Amino acid sequence: MKRWRILFALFAAWVIPGSADAWDQLDSYDVQWTTPSRDSSGSMPIGNGDIGLNVWVEADGDLLFYVSKSDAWSGEGRLLKLGRVRVSLEPNPFAAGLPFRQTLRLREGRIEIAAGPEGRQVTLQVWVEAQRPVVHVEADGQEPFVMQTKLEGWRRGCEKMGLAPSGNCENLGKSVVAKVPVPIFSQPRPEPRTLSGGELGSAYGMTSSPDPVVVEADTVLPAEGNRLVWFHRNTQSCYPVTLQVQALGALIDRFPDPLLHRTFGGCLHGEGLVAGDDTTLRSSQPAARQQVALVALTAQAATIPDWVDQLNDVVRSASTVELEQARTEHRSWWSDFWNRSWIFAETPAVPGTSGAITANELPLRIGADSEGQNRFQGRMARASVLGRALSEAEVADLAGVGRGQPLGDVPGLVASWRFERAADGVIPNSAGESFPAKIVGAVRAGEDAEESAFEFAGGYVQIEHDPQLTLTEGLTLEAWIAPAKLSGGGARIIDKSKAATANGYLLDTHPGNSLRSIVQAGTLLHEANLAPGQWVHVAATFDPQTDRQCLYVQGRLAAVRGEDSAEAETPLSPLTQGYILQRFINACGGRGAYPIKFNGSIFTVDAQEGDQRYDADYRRWGGCYWFQNTRLPYWSMLSAGDFDLLQPLFRMYADALPLGRERTRTYYGHDGVFFPETMYFWGTYNNDNYGWNRQGKPDGLTDNRYIRYYWDSGLELLAMMLDYVALTQDEAFVRETLLPLAHEILTFYQQHYPQRDAGGKIVFEPSQALETWHDATNPLPVVAGLRYVIERLLADVPPDQAGEARAAWERLAGLLPELPMQEEAGRRRILPAQRFAQLANSENPELYAVFPFRLFTLGQPDLEIGRATFEARRVKRTGGWTQDPIQAALLGLTDTAAAYTYKNFSTKHAGSRFPAFWGPNFDWIPDQDHGGVAMIALQRMLLQCDGDRILLLPAWPPQWNVDFRLHAPQQTTVHAIWRDGRLQQLDVQPERRRRDVIGPPACPGAEE
């Protein structure tokens, strides 16, 4: 360690602050499309942190965008869109066959669209002001054109409004901004639409309500001059019934309803535009420049006129800022954002692998994975592997071959097994004498003697490894299957990969009856909704030369990966691209009044679940916040220096503190606060989890066992806040937010568990270990969380700030039991709890002692305990909210962390065009947990902090090059460039912190 500090001192003579080519590197990751999109699934996100747009251009059509806002909560607690806007140009530059280019300009936070024939091209700019609630659409053409802007709604029953006498227009100057007319109802409000079926899940929390769950209609005002105005207003609210069901009805007067009369909408206006009708603005005459602006507002107004007056004020205020001034401020915000931190990695291959398809010596299995799990249920008639990527026409030809027929002489065919006969438990290869397939378990001929198919009823088929089955030059996997209704994990069709990795290749039905292919280069999914019992031909192809990965159903292309990346001039690192774009999405949706929704943020679009189609207001799991999921985007904001984005999360829990205090007294008769795992933004339980029928049940006891005693969120929130304080040195935050929350949360644990063991230690029972072990004593997340938080409070909060709380922390620390441990074969490892039973989910609670509570990580004396625990973990995987990549990085397991992180950033939603729209995984699209986990893991591979120590490149593959700038405690930034196996540049600010840097052991002369 000492030699490293001397070595780093030598760098001071020649390193320079900042990265000279950081902007060029960022620009290379702009997302560019050269063809229009099919529908909203081909949209690009843009936003200012509170207002978000999904922007796309329809082929031979128009520019469209959805408008979202972080505080647009309906009366049922759903987060709704504000609306959809369609922009049409005449003549149409988006007509079929004309040049087209849509580019997300990351550096400036804008979308640029250039289209049309030479000499008549039109360029559009779409952006959302970083400092004001204003959306701009600017169009500049080489020749005059006409622009039409239309407001489109889907919350039907929009009633017309008459005008009160005071509704005269008032010229406010710029763009002839008019005062919005004050509305009066000219007819009864329409009946709200009742949610039902699968769509009801988007109101999770109210799905079992005894009353109908509804979506109310939007209101459109009569057009006035160059302005359109619309809004959604909650005339009913689930808040009162929520408090009443949860035995908190007495608090309604003390804690006002946050939903009733919440009104959200906006105003569309533009100079040179006139209203065609109440939802349409059109150019008054052709011009070479046209523009329209949208001003959005959410307010809990007592009356509609009150909301209209507030909208007038916002429009008036925005109109006083010249467009170029607003543009300058906007660019300045994004410039500052990108300069806070960055990661630019060059990742040619995952450590331990080579090429886009990894070779291995595993057997090939049909109907199961390498560990004999994920077994196929249903019938199969044929399965084949080919050593090249077939064209679309060739795959169509394969599908045309009857399911009981041999493929014949297909170039590249390696093997094909027809499930029509078996001799001594072996199915022959119909394409040659090699590769016999051995039946393992329950695989048998179907009951229909005339049908050439085998029934897979719990068994699988295995073909021993042969070098010809490696398929590293390209592949096609095809099969005729009739699957049963499969579980959420899906089932393997053809698999030659190591389970839970991308080592090899596979084709399966994950999730459920969908379709997925995996190779080292990436994962491709398609929500195929394969009908149980119905025959279907499925195929997967991958070409390493073009990085094009495809899935086919019935011979037709169903999903493709690589069609847009092929347009890039230089290969892009999936790690860098994923990191940059996920951080961009965080910024676009993370500065509003409420935290980022893990299940889609504010970028949901039209949805399909099974054979049902839903509007863009739909999201799985609804509007409540699961802390287990909500937290993951936020941990990455610490090292990135995105401290402003953390504030909505901290604010939501601080605001929920008073109600939480009263809830504890009501339910348990003592002091302190706990936060439910599934929580409305105002702090109460999700009703469906709490339970609607309370007959014979004590107050506070939830029906849902998954979250009954799951109160750990407060501890992890404190851990995150302690990291925030360490990084920012924000004393006011300590005084006003951290200490009040710490007092209430720790008081709850001390008073809620009065039982003591023989040694005088607290017995945490009844309790549970996350959602996984429903019956536990002294669960690891609780004990480790308390130990970690109290140690950090005592170490990080100065005694003069802590005051009397310090003695209380010390007393509680002395009452904590030991962490649950077990020793096997001379190796100690952590257990999920001292006692645990009733397995119900797939988390690894014991590894919470690695992350988020960093007790067994690099730099800690008991690192090997952490590693042994990770090695023995019950569930090994990545994707969605799974934390394995983060924990591997914190344990210094470089290859595992790199492989998992690479896989996360290479696995997007197959039905979405934008490269960082992940999911749905366990949640929805875009899945903010999936990208958040990968961001955290990538940061921890590069930088970890332990007290004053800064661990540089602690889990970084030495063959990967990287240029990064990240934040560390004590208002420190670390900028380093690692290239060709050596540290080529290091800048630490302030310079006094350079002595605390401990370098990578891969460097010559380094010490750990």
Side-chain angles (χ1 to χ4, degrees), residues 105 127 132 387 461 497 527 530 564 728 859 934 967:
R105 301 292 185 189
W127 52 289
R132 280 169 287 276
V461 173
S497 67
E527 294 183 33
L530 303 175
D564 293 316
T728 63
H967 291 247

Side-chain angles (χ1 to χ4, degrees), residues 639-909:
S639 294
D642 297 332
F643 306 130
D644 52 340
L645 274 60
L646 282 156
Q647 301 314 309
L649 178 72
F650 294 163
R651 186 169 56 243
M652 181 176 76
Y653 282 92
D655 288 348
L657 195 61
L659 187 146
R661 187 185 298 115
E662 296 302 321
R663 174 178 54 223
T664 302
R665 290 171 180 159
T666 299
Y667 291 172
Y668 305 119
H670 61 71
D671 296 328
V673 163
F674 72 93
F675 294 112
E677 167 61 15
T678 59
M679 188 179 92
Y680 285 108
F681 68 80
W682 56 83
T684 62
Y685 276 104
N686 173 310
N687 287 315
D688 288 334
N689 291 165
Y690 186 81
W692 290 88
N693 182 358
R694 304 306 302 171
Q695 186 174 1
K697 302 169 187 174
D699 295 341
L701 185 71
T702 67
D703 281 0
N704 189 304
R705 289 297 310 275
Y706 284 86
I707 54 96
R708 179 171 290 177
Y709 303 114
Y710 190 176
W711 301 322
D712 312 349
S713 58
L715 297 174
E716 186 170 349
L717 180 69
L718 293 177
M720 189 183 298
M721 288 180 168
L722 284 162
D723 275 4
Y724 169 80
V725 170
L727 288 156
T728 63
Q729 307 290 288
D730 187 343
E731 294 183 3
F733 180 85
V734 173
R735 182 175 59 255
E736 298 167 7
T737 304
L738 172 63
L739 290 181
L741 276 163
H743 170 73
E744 298 292 352
I745 291 167
L746 298 183
T747 296
F748 173 84
Y749 278 101
Q750 184 162 7
Q751 295 190 13
H752 191 74
Y753 295 97
Q755 183 181 349
R756 301 294 183 263
D757 64 15
K761 305 297 184 181
I762 296 176
V763 178
F764 293 100
E765 187 182 58
S767 192
Q768 65 187 86
L770 307 183
E771 292 187 10
T772 295
W773 298 100
H774 285 183
D775 180 17
T777 301
N778 294 344
L780 184 283
V782 173
V783 180
L786 284 165
R787 183 179 300 277
Y788 179 80
V789 165
I790 293 172
E791 287 177 359
R792 288 285 304 275
L793 286 168
L794 290 170
D796 295 358
V797 180
D800 60 330
Q801 280 189 291
E804 295 179 359
R806 187 175 181 86
W809 301 337
E810 291 172 339
R811 286 194 299 272
L812 181 54
L815 293 172
L816 296 179
E818 295 297 317
L819 297 176
M821 294 275 188
Q822 182 180 64
E823 184 168 333
E824 289 184 357
R827 298 186 75 190
R828 297 179 70 204
R829 62 181 178 89
I830 315 163
L831 295 176
Q834 179 181 324
R835 181 192 61 82
F836 48 96
Q838 298 183 23
L839 177 66
N841 210 333
S842 56
E843 303 143 314
N844 296 310
E846 63 275 14
L847 285 168
Y848 266 51
V850 176
F851 176 84
F853 308 123
R854 302 187 298 272
L855 296 172
F856 298 88
T857 59
L858 288 171
Q860 300 297 323
D862 292 322
L863 171 64
E864 287 307 314
I865 293 177
R867 287 179 169 175
T869 305
F870 186 82
E871 181 181 322
R873 69 196 189 281
R874 186 179 62 87
V875 182
K876 302 176 180 180
R877 66 183 179 197
T878 190
W881 44 253
T882 305
Q883 301 177 159
D884 296 39
I886 306 170
Q887 291 156 344
L890 287 167
L891 292 167
L893 303 174
T894 299
D895 288 357
T896 302
Y900 277 157
T901 305
Y902 195 101
K903 182 177 180 180
N904 266 35
F905 278 141
S906 301
T907 308
K908 78 174 190 68
H909 177 238

Side-chain angles (χ1 to χ4, degrees), residues 122-185:
V122 177
T123 301
L124 297 99
Q125 313 285 343
V126 183
W127 52 289
V128 189
E129 286 190 36
Q131 308 292 11
R132 280 169 287 276
V134 184
V135 178
H136 293 281
V137 179
E138 304 173 76
D140 293 280
Q142 294 174 304
E143 291 185 355
F145 61 94
V146 171
M147 182 170 76
Q148 176 176 288
T149 302
K150 186 173 183 61
L151 174 67
E152 298 184 336
W154 57 94
R155 294 186 285 265
R156 299 302 182 187
C158 299
E159 61 274 10
K160 297 294 182 181
M161 309 288 283
L163 296 184
S166 60
N168 298 323
C169 292
E170 176 181 75
N171 190 330
L172 299 178
K174 179 185 168 213
S175 299
V176 194
V177 178
K179 183 177 180 181
V180 177
V182 178
I184 58 173
F185 287 104

Side-chain angles (χ1 to χ4, degrees), residues 539-653:
T541 66
F542 175 66
D543 185 347
Q545 299 302 314
T546 62
D547 193 41
R548 183 178 171 87
Q549 188 174 5
C550 302
L551 286 169
Y552 295 84
V553 177
Q554 300 292 43
R556 293 187 294 272
L557 182 65
V560 60
R561 182 190 66 79
E563 61 178 350
D564 293 316
S565 61
E567 298 173 2
E569 295 181 0
T570 56
L572 302 178
S573 162
L575 270 76
T576 304
Q577 181 183 56
Y579 183 87
I580 289 172
L581 295 182
Q582 181 60 57
R583 185 166 173 246
F584 171 77
I585 290 173
N586 290 348
C588 288
R591 292 197 298 147
Y594 298 97
I596 293 169
K597 286 294 288 128
F598 64 92
N599 49 347
S601 185
I602 50 175
F603 298 109
T604 55
V605 295
D606 303 296
Q608 180 171 353
E609 292 267 54
D611 59 355
Q612 297 297 308
R613 294 183 180 274
Y614 305 121
D615 59 44
D617 290 332
Y618 177 86
R619 67 179 77 222
R620 287 184 195 164
W621 302 113
C624 289
Y625 289 92
W626 275 244
F627 188 84
Q628 164 85 342
N629 307 66
T630 299
R631 66 201 173 106
L632 290 167
Y634 287 93
W635 276 107
S636 70
M637 296 172 188
L638 294 160
S639 294
D642 297 332
F643 306 130
D644 52 340
L645 274 60
L646 282 156
Q647 301 314 309
L649 178 72
F650 294 163
R651 186 169 56 243
M652 181 176 76
Y653 282 92

Side-chain angles (χ1 to χ4, degrees), residues 459-473:
Y460 58 91
V461 173
Q462 178 166 308
I463 300 93
E464 295 305 318
H465 167 71
D466 186 283
Q468 294 183 65
L469 294 172
T470 55
L471 310 184
T472 54
E473 301 302 315

